[in-house]
Amino acid sequence: MKNVLDNVNDPKDLDGLNIGDKQILAKNIRDLLLDVTSKTGGHLASNLGVVELTIALHSVFETPKDKIVWDVGHQIYPHKILTGRKDKMHTLRQLDGVSGFPKNCESESDCFDTGHSSTSISVALGMARARDILKEDYSVLALIGDGALTGGMALEALNDAGCSGTKMTVILNDNEMSISKNVGGVPMLLSKIRSKRLYIRSNNAVKRFTNKLPLIGKPITNLAHYIKRTVKHMIIKNMYFEDIGFTYLGPVDGHDIEKLEKILRLSKKVDGPVLVHVMTKKGKGYEIAENTPAKFHGVSSFNIETGEPLKSGDKDYSAVFGSKLVELAKRDEKIVAITAAMTDGTGLAEFASEFPERLFDIGIAEGHAVRASSRNGESGTETSVCCIFFFLTKRI
């Protein structure tokens, strides 16, 4: 297989590639990601999942003129590879090397330095409003995961952007994961929206058939249009994003570059806030990571063939913390653990298995986690606060 990546040093180099070339490019990028992270460590599964999406974004939009705000930012490796930093990726997360997160000092294409989740929509909305005030002309996008969408700041920004009429695009990267499996009402809403794919396929098949019928085809199609609204609301009871003011596009296969480019070009034509719902698979292209995405969210150096870490030693901080908490919980039934979408990342997997009724995963919502630890108006038990503090330090 040829290496298309050898000839891609800038997003403009994507212009001369056909879809077949871009599919090979996606494989080349994944090979580079595996080679680099197996040596330096880093965020792997999330980056493997956004390769095609990143290629499509840079094929349709023009950075640094157009602004792409990456939520959390740890899924930015393919973006860095395509924006002039592929030859430096071997220095990933090393002293004076390439950062594992967006850094404007590295490249103008990193328009906002991101570290934490749920901030991208707010940032993008501010940029879009500033653009309009200054009468400038460029696109502004926020790329946010479904896990980050459980954060209160993201929902506040959606509420503001939806009623603003401001032209901007939110890309919802829906892989049904944050670090651990997603929890809460927002993921339940997204699962209903995903079922729209069944509705779309059925609707399009019926439309193609009835339009071919002589004389009666058109009236039947019009009747079907009336009926389908009822069917739509049966399948999708509440199109939340449309209800709050967004034009909703999707869901679309996040690993089909051609479909991604089409829907992204369509989003550019929408005058107002638009949300593009993209379905991806965390760890895509590396079977071991696909099967255990939480394990490969953040990794140290590892053997590509087996997926096993190269360094073995004593328990890490997370494992020690988790084991000790289980030990204490066995002696005190009042001890509970509260985590914000990081059951595995904070060493609480054993606690969750031993005491499932005393483990509360509240999604990416640390402020809520702190206040939810309260009892009778107090600030919460010392154990609850300890769990939350540990989570926050891990995030930082």
Side-chain angles (χ1 to χ4, degrees):
M1 180 183 291
K2 64 181 179 180
N3 194 323
V4 176
L5 183 57
D6 284 345
N7 298 316
V8 177
N9 301 297
D10 183 271
K12 292 179 181 178
D13 294 330
L14 297 173
D15 294 344
L17 303 181
N18 58 37
I19 294 299
D21 290 332
K22 290 177 181 178
Q23 290 170 343
I24 296 173
L25 176 62
K27 175 67 167 59
N28 297 157
I29 291 174
R30 285 195 171 91
D31 289 343
L32 179 56
L33 288 173
L34 282 169
D35 180 61
V36 168
T37 56
S38 68
K39 297 170 182 174
T40 66
H43 290 94
L44 179 58
S46 54
N47 282 285
L48 291 173
V50 297
V51 174
E52 289 86 359
L53 176 56
T54 306
I55 293 172
L57 282 168
H58 282 294
S59 297
V60 174
F61 296 94
E62 182 184 345
T63 58
K65 176 184 176 183
D66 295 327
K67 314 300 180 186
I68 304 175
V69 183
W70 300 82
D71 206 280
V72 183
H74 63 238
Q75 75 277 50
I76 200 174
Y77 300 177
H79 164 82
K80 293 198 174 194
I81 291 170
L82 292 176
T83 53
R85 287 165 280 182
K86 69 177 182 183
D87 294 335
K88 299 179 182 178
M89 289 302 291
H90 67 281
T91 67
L92 180 68
R93 307 201 320 169
Q94 309 300 307
L95 180 63
D96 298 323
V98 173
S99 171
F101 294 87
K103 289 291 180 183
N104 187 251
C105 62
E106 280 185 9
S107 170
E108 286 185 284
S109 294
D110 298 3
C111 67
F112 185 77
D113 291 2
T114 317
H116 205 287
S117 73
S118 310
T119 62
S120 63
I121 304 175
S122 297
V123 173
L125 178 58
M127 288 181 174
R129 282 173 166 160
R131 173 203 63 200
D132 293 346
I133 290 172
L134 296 173
K135 301 189 185 315
E136 296 174 338
D137 181 23
Y138 55 84
S139 297
V140 180
L141 303 91
L143 194 148
I144 186 169
D146 52 322
L149 206 61
T150 63
M153 187 173 180
L155 298 177
E156 292 169 14
L158 283 173
N159 177 65
D160 186 10
C163 68
S164 70
T166 302
K167 184 176 177 62
M168 62 175 290
T169 299
V170 176
I171 309 291
L172 173 56
N173 174 28
D174 185 357
N175 57 27
E176 302 185 55
M177 294 282 292
S178 44
I179 295 175
S180 301
K181 192 73 175 177
N182 281 333
V183 297
V186 171
M188 288 174 61
L189 167 68
L190 294 178
S191 70
K192 292 180 180 179
I193 294 177
R194 291 179 201 116
S195 68
K196 184 183 181 185
R197 287 176 294 175
L198 171 62
Y199 158 74
I200 290 173
R201 288 197 297 267
S202 301
N203 177 63
N204 288 341
V206 171
K207 185 182 292 185
R208 285 193 299 268
F209 174 74
T210 56
N211 279 334
K212 291 179 181 178
L213 297 177
L215 299 178
I216 62 172
K218 187 71 173 178
I220 290 178
T221 300
N222 291 337
L223 177 61
H225 178 74
Y226 172 78
I227 295 174
K228 79 176 184 179
R229 295 183 65 84
T230 303
V231 176
K232 179 178 179 179
H233 285 284
M234 289 173 61
I235 298 177
I236 315 164
K237 296 181 180 179
N238 182 16
M239 289 296 293
Y240 171 77
F241 301 111
E242 290 185 350
D243 289 345
I244 64 171
F246 279 81
T247 297
Y248 174 88
L249 301 176
V252 61
D253 183 351
H255 303 295
D256 188 319
I257 298 173
E258 188 171 15
K259 289 181 179 178
L260 284 167
E261 289 186 8
K262 286 180 179 179
I263 203 167
L264 289 173
R265 288 193 179 97
L266 180 60
S267 73
K268 293 178 71 172
K269 299 177 181 178
V270 177
D271 188 17
V274 57
L275 185 136
V276 180
H277 189 173
V278 178
M279 304 290 297
T280 64
K281 186 173 184 62
K282 206 168 184 181
K284 177 71 173 179
Y286 182 46
E287 186 176 359
I288 301 173
E290 288 185 21
N291 294 333
T292 54
K295 176 182 176 182
F296 283 88
H297 171 77
V299 294
S300 57
S301 56
F302 65 97
N303 183 305
I304 296 178
E305 296 299 321
T306 65
E308 294 301 316
L310 295 180
K311 298 178 182 179
S312 59
D314 297 332
K315 287 184 176 181
D316 62 18
Y317 184 44
S318 300
V320 172
F321 173 85
S323 296
K324 187 63 177 180
L325 193 61
V326 169
E327 178 187 327
L328 293 171
K330 287 179 178 179
R331 298 202 301 261
D332 186 348
E333 63 181 16
K334 293 182 179 180
I335 290 177
V336 301
I338 300 173
T339 184
M342 283 193 69
T343 301
D344 295 320
T346 51
L348 291 173
E350 183 184 357
F351 189 98
S353 177
E354 290 274 350
F355 311 105
E357 74 286 354
R358 289 155 62 184
L359 185 283
F360 302 95
D361 186 342
I362 48 75
I364 302 178
E366 291 91 336
H368 169 58
V370 172
R371 293 319 310 161
S373 68
S374 301
R375 181 173 65 89
N376 297 329
E378 300 171 357
S379 60
T381 65
E382 291 181 3
T383 305
S384 296
V385 174
C386 178
C387 294
I388 297 164
F389 177 74
F390 175 78
F391 166 80
L392 290 172
T393 58
K394 287 288 286 186
R395 284 282 189 190
I396 296 170

